[in-house]
């Protein structure tokens, strides 16, 4: 178990490093002019530009830059932001943003987990009756229709009928967070409900449930002690990843409601060629993704003792 | 008494037709698939609506009073609610909304279909190689993990900045990062079936690899391929609308449903028709493919056949 954990962690580290290298190389493919703002491009002479680039170490051979980059990563130094907030350390730029994303994300996820799982259970209990059909309709709609459309519908409903603010604002944070949270929760509710229902229905058709019924166990007991417990195991796998990824924020929701979170930061950083920021963000995203899957596997193993990952290499 | 027994145990004459019938069950895979599919009323109904929608989009473009290519912005006509002149009203620049909506519908469907087929071709090819060739398994798995760990939005932003934004670029880049899931599904199934005894026997008898893949393994993949194909269409439309909304997708002059919603973002609270028309159409298309895909993959699964 410990050996397996260490092996997995080392593998994850390698993946993250490779991702960092690729992103590093991709960012070096960009034309150097784009490192400057329009203002600077007009004012600076060619020589001044070269001097600045040289001072930032962007003109050295690729290999040298790469070596320096690795050195910095291992010292935990991610450099400074060039364009987004000039001269501010990258980690500080990110630090000011990710709390907002995380607060919205975690709130919505907790709501989604409770509502989604309850809905899935409700659908299983009322299988093939009205509630089940409504629930299925809801999950199909949310899964199929582009999120942009469903967000627009939430926005129209929320601001027209409930009178909630249509843009995020720090002045009345609570009130203006409601719609972004609702949008974030919508998709997760649908997917939790869908999978809870599917796993529970699968479980209900198994032989041991029939045996439990025959021996006279009450259906409430069957549901709680057998069906739900077993159906919850495959769901658990994705929960850590979902929580970790809230740090990354949701690009679309945050753009849609003008939330100053992590989501839009990556695209902003890329479109303004903020190299250090992009690299750091890519490392963070890749790290979170890999870590999420890993924690999910571990959690699943802890909950269900029948699952052993150590035996086989294949986990996902 | 005796006569009766003779009657019961009479020899029947040999009949070639009847002899044939005992050894022949009237089973055909594809007929069964279609029979099962036609039983799903909602999916069939949605599919009909979808075809009607596609046909109507051409009619609508033809009978509309304005041609998309000849649209001029006219601030005096901005935000005219739907009337007999402008059937879907006008947008914030005073352009006819009717022809924009139908043009966007066609763009989105075209893009989604091209991407779905492209993903299929690339995904199945790589998936088969990935699953069948043992020595490549490790390499492709690592490549998969790495591409998968980098957020798609990063690739898309870089492509939009370096290569530019057009229909072709969009289609190619969506295919380039969309084959992953298809390849993974195909690979897992190929891995499951490649060492079954009948394939082993086939190979011992000297069947070439491509024939084993196409004739022996491919039939098992059909249901998952169709499911992925159908689900990739709503996913592509959703991704396209998200990217276009963020300014990373198609350029502003080729309206797609994402571009329309992006343009309408700050106006549709006051002018709901700007949201309703594109939203209803896009919902119809995506829900159709979602339902049809699920229904068809259920029908294509031999375990559900009688």
């Amino acid at each position: 178990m410990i050996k397996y954990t260490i092996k997995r962690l080392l593998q994850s580290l390698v993946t993250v490093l490779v991702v960092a290298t690729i992103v590093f190389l991709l960012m070096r493919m960009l034309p150097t002019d784009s490192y400057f703002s329009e203002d600077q491009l007009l004012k600076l002479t060619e020589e001044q530009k070269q001097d600045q680039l040289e001072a930032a170490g962007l003109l050295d051979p690729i290999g040298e830059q790469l070596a320096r980059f690795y050195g910095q990563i291992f010292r935990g130094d991610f450099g400074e932001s060039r364009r987004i907030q000039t001269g501010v350390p990258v980690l500080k730029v990110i630090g000011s943003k990710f709390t907002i994303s995380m607060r919205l994300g975690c709130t919505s996820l907790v709501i989604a987990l409770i509502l989604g799982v309850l809905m899935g259970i409700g659908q299983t209990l009322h299988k093939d009756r009205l509630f089940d059909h409504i629930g299925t309709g809801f999950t199909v709609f949310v899964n199929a229709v582009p999120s942009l459309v469903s967000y627009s519908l939430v926005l129209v409903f929320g601001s027209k009928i409930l009178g909630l603010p249509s843009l995020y604002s720090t002045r009345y944070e609570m009130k203006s967070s409601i719609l972004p949270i609702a949008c974030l929760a919508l998709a997760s509710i649908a997917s939790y409900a869908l999978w809870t229902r599917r796993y529970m229905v699968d479980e209900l058709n198994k032989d041991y449930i029939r045996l439990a019924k025959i021996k006279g166990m009450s259906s409430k007991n069957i549901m709680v002690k057998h069906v739900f417990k077993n159906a919850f195991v495959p769901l658990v796998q994705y929960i850590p990843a979902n929580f970790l990824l809230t740090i990354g924020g949701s690009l679309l929701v945050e753009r849609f409601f003008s939330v100053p979170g992590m989501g839009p930061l990556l695209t902003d950083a890329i479109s303004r060629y903020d190299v250090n920021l992009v690299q750091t963000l890519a490392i963070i995203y890749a790290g979170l993704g890999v870590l999420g899957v890993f924690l999910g596997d571990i959690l699943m193993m802890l909950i269900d003792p029948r699952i052993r990952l150590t035996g086989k290499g294949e986990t996902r | 008494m005796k006569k009766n027994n003779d009657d019961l145990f009479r020899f029947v004459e040999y009949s070639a037709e009847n002899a044939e019938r005992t050894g022949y069950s009237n089973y055909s895979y594809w007929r069964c698939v279609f029979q099962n599919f036609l039983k799903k009323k909602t999916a069939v109904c949605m599919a009909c609506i979808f075809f009607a929608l596609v046909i109507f989009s051409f009619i609508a473009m033809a009978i509309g009073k304005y041609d998309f290519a000849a649209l001029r912005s006219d601030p005096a006509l901005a935000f005219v609610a739907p009337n007999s002149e402008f059937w879907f009203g006008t947008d914030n620049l005073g352009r006819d909304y009717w022809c924009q909506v139908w043009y966007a519908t066609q763009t989105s469907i075209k893009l989604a279909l091209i991407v779905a087929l492209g993903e299929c071709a690339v995904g199945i090819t790589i998936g088969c190689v990935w699953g069948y060739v043992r020595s490549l398994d490790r390499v492709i798995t690592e490549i998969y993990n790495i591409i998968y760990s980098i957020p798609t939005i990063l690739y898309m932003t870089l492509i939009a900045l370096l290569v530019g934004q057009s229909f072709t670029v969009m289609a190619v880049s969506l295919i380039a990062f969309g084959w992953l899931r298809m390849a993974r599904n195909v690979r897992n199934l190929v891995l499951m079936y490649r060492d079954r005894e009948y394939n082993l026997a086939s190979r011992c008898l000297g069947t070439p690899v491509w024939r084993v893949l196409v004739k022996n393994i491919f039939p098992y993949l059909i249901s998952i391929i169709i499911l992925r194909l159908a689900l990739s269409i709503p996913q592509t439309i959703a991704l396209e609308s998200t990217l276009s909304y963020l300014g990373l997708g198609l350029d502003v002059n080729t309206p797609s449903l994402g571009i329309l919603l992006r343009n309408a973002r700050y106006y549709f609270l006051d002018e709901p028709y700007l949201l309703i028309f594109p939203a209803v159409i896009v919902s119809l298309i995506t829900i159709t493919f979602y339902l049809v895909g699920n229904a068809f993959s259920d029908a294509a699964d031999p375990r559900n056949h009688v």
Side-chain angles (χ1 to χ4, degrees):
Chain A
M1 173 77 194
I2 291 170
K3 199 176 148 199
Y4 171 77
T5 314
I6 293 171
K7 204 176 139 204
R8 271 296 287 273
L9 279 177
L10 281 178
Q11 266 178 0
S12 317
L13 199 65
V14 172
T15 311
V16 173
L17 265 184
V18 173
V19 168
T21 313
I22 290 175
V23 172
F24 179 88
L25 294 176
L26 279 177
M27 292 310 284
R28 291 301 180 279
M29 276 162 51
L30 299 172
T32 47
D33 259 9
S34 26
Y35 291 124
F36 302 98
S37 62
E38 287 84 15
D39 246 21
Q40 286 172 316
L41 273 182
L42 287 177
K43 277 187 209 152
L44 297 175
T45 60
E46 207 47 45
E47 275 172 34
Q48 281 173 311
K49 272 195 250 173
Q50 292 295 327
D51 284 347
Q52 281 211 11
L53 286 178
E54 205 160 346
L58 290 166
L59 291 181
D60 302 339
I62 275 290
E64 211 171 293
Q65 286 192 43
L66 202 56
R68 196 165 52 223
F69 174 58
Y70 288 143
Q72 281 174 348
I73 294 181
F74 283 114
R75 267 179 281 125
D77 170 18
F78 291 96
E80 290 170 354
S81 162
R82 272 187 77 82
R83 293 278 306 279
I84 298 278
Q85 287 175 29
T86 312
V88 179
V90 164
L91 288 181
K92 218 169 166 184
V93 177
I94 294 171
S96 64
K97 301 243 174 197
F98 92 92
T99 42
I100 301 176
S101 290
M102 222 174 126
R103 204 177 54 234
L104 292 184
C106 288
T107 322
S108 73
L109 208 56
V110 170
I111 295 172
L113 201 56
I114 296 169
L115 285 183
V117 170
L118 281 181
M119 200 170 122
I121 296 174
Q123 276 180 276
T124 322
L125 293 179
H126 299 272
K127 191 165 171 281
D128 293 328
R129 273 181 281 172
L130 187 63
F131 183 77
D132 188 26
H133 292 307
I134 294 174
T136 311
F138 171 76
T139 45
V140 166
F141 185 85
V142 173
N143 277 324
V145 170
S147 32
L148 193 56
V149 174
S150 43
Y151 294 167
S152 305
L153 295 177
V154 171
L155 175 63
V156 169
F157 178 77
S159 67
K160 278 278 170 192
I161 295 170
L162 304 177
L164 293 165
S166 65
L167 289 176
Y168 183 84
S169 142
T170 37
R171 268 188 300 158
Y172 25 83
E173 238 175 313
M174 284 298 285
K175 226 173 139 191
S176 60
S177 303
I178 296 177
L179 286 184
I181 289 175
C183 282
L184 283 171
L186 204 61
S188 320
I189 292 177
S191 77
Y192 282 130
L194 181 74
W195 290 111
T196 310
R197 179 185 182 279
R198 187 170 297 176
Y199 289 134
M200 283 181 77
V201 171
D202 273 1
E203 209 62 35
L204 264 181
N205 290 333
K206 287 193 177 157
D207 285 343
Y208 78 97
I209 297 291
R210 201 172 300 153
L211 177 70
K213 270 182 201 156
I214 292 167
K215 75 181 181 194
M217 203 170 174
S218 73
S219 55
K220 191 181 151 199
N221 251 336
I222 292 179
M223 276 292 169
V224 177
K225 285 202 174 151
H226 291 316
V227 179
F228 183 68
K229 229 172 152 183
N230 279 313
F232 203 58
V233 172
L235 272 182
V236 154
Q237 195 184 2
Y238 299 103
I239 293 176
N242 288 348
F243 269 101
L244 278 178
L245 289 178
T246 60
I247 297 173
S250 159
L251 179 55
L252 189 59
V253 169
E254 292 182 3
R255 228 354 124 62
F256 201 73
F257 292 100
S258 310
V259 178
M262 283 274 280
L265 197 59
L266 182 63
T267 41
D268 283 352
I270 299 173
S271 58
R272 295 205 220 159
Y273 302 92
D274 201 324
V275 185
N276 288 337
L277 196 51
V278 174
Q279 279 157 197
T280 317
L281 285 173
I283 293 174
I284 291 178
Y285 283 126
L288 289 177
V290 174
L291 193 66
V293 172
F294 171 67
L295 286 180
D297 285 349
I298 298 280
L299 192 61
M300 202 167 70
M301 238 188 325
L302 291 180
I303 286 189
D304 190 342
R306 286 172 303 178
I307 297 172
R308 284 266 161 269
L309 296 171
T310 21
K312 286 181 196 162
E314 197 64 29
T315 50
R316 262 199 288 176
Chain B
M1 217 38 196
K2 208 175 183 193
K3 202 183 170 195
N4 255 346
N5 269 346
D6 281 348
D7 241 16
L8 278 173
F9 297 101
R10 179 161 52 90
F11 282 102
V12 286
E13 268 176 57
Y14 175 75
S15 144
E17 194 191 330
N18 283 337
E20 185 84 345
R21 197 176 289 156
T22 52
Y24 174 70
S25 88
N26 195 17
Y27 174 82
S28 139
Y29 177 74
W30 286 106
R31 203 181 50 222
C32 224
V33 169
F34 280 105
Q35 270 171 357
N36 273 357
F37 180 73
L38 289 178
K39 276 183 208 151
K40 316 257 172 160
K41 293 284 182 307
T42 342
V44 175
C45 190
M46 290 300 281
C48 293
I49 296 178
F50 171 74
F51 283 118
L53 193 79
V54 173
I55 295 167
F56 186 69
S57 75
F58 285 99
I59 300 173
M61 299 267 285
I63 61 170
K65 293 190 175 173
Y66 293 85
D67 185 31
F68 170 73
L71 281 183
R72 296 277 169 274
S73 53
D74 180 0
L77 286 173
F79 302 126
V80 176
N83 58 23
S84 60
E85 175 69 16
F86 300 106
W87 293 336
F88 277 0
T90 57
D91 66 357
N92 55 324
L93 296 173
R95 293 176 298 184
D96 180 41
Y97 208 47
W98 171 271
C99 67
Q100 286 192 58
V101 167
W102 291 110
Y103 190 88
T105 310
Q106 288 186 356
T107 317
S108 292
I109 294 177
K110 202 164 69 185
L111 182 77
L113 286 179
I114 292 175
V115 171
L117 292 176
E119 271 178 21
C120 229
V122 180
I124 293 172
T125 318
I126 296 185
C128 283
V129 174
W130 188 2
Y132 204 87
V133 186
R134 279 264 166 76
S135 50
L136 285 178
D137 182 51
R138 197 60 206 266
V139 181
I140 304 183
T141 309
E142 287 308 314
I143 295 174
Y144 172 91
N145 281 339
I146 287 163
I147 300 181
Y148 202 74
S149 322
I150 300 178
T152 322
I153 211 79
L154 200 148
Y155 298 121
M156 288 322 223
T157 318
L158 280 176
I159 289 171
L161 287 172
L162 290 175
V163 189
Q165 294 169 302
S166 74
F167 188 83
T168 326
V169 173
M170 184 79 182
V172 171
S173 48
L174 284 181
I175 293 172
F177 301 110
W179 58 267
L180 291 166
R181 215 180 288 195
M182 172 72 97
R184 179 148 198 109
N185 285 330
V186 169
R187 176 251 185 188
N188 288 345
L189 284 178
V190 171
L191 217 59
M192 264 171 69
Y193 290 109
R194 77 181 289 265
D195 289 330
R196 292 281 166 95
E197 281 78 0
Y198 68 93
N199 280 330
L200 202 65
S202 230
R203 259 180 301 170
C204 290
L205 291 171
T207 319
V209 173
W210 65 267
R211 209 183 143 82
V212 171
L213 276 175
V214 174
K215 291 272 174 186
N216 294 4
I217 299 182
F218 193 69
Y220 287 98
L221 307 179
I222 288 174
S223 107
I224 191 91
I225 287 173
I226 289 173
L227 181 66
R228 280 252 62 85
L229 188 70
L231 289 189
S232 123
I233 287 168
Q235 278 164 5
T236 308
I237 292 180
L239 192 56
E240 183 275 323
S241 64
T242 306
L243 289 172
S244 297
Y245 182 81
L246 298 171
L248 303 170
L250 300 168
D251 62 312
V252 196
N253 296 319
T254 18
S256 65
L257 292 161
I259 298 270
L260 287 188
L261 288 172
R262 172 190 173 174
N263 292 343
R265 162 67 177 91
Y266 290 101
Y267 311 112
F268 63 57
L269 282 179
D270 301 317
E271 314 287 342
Y273 69 88
L274 286 175
L275 170 65
I276 290 170
F277 295 124
V280 167
I281 292 174
V282 84
S283 310
L284 272 179
I285 299 170
T286 48
I287 292 176
T288 301
F289 277 101
Y290 191 85
L291 290 178
V292 169
N294 280 314
F296 208 90
S297 85
D298 275 358
D301 192 341
R303 277 173 296 182
N304 295 337
H305 292 184
V306 194

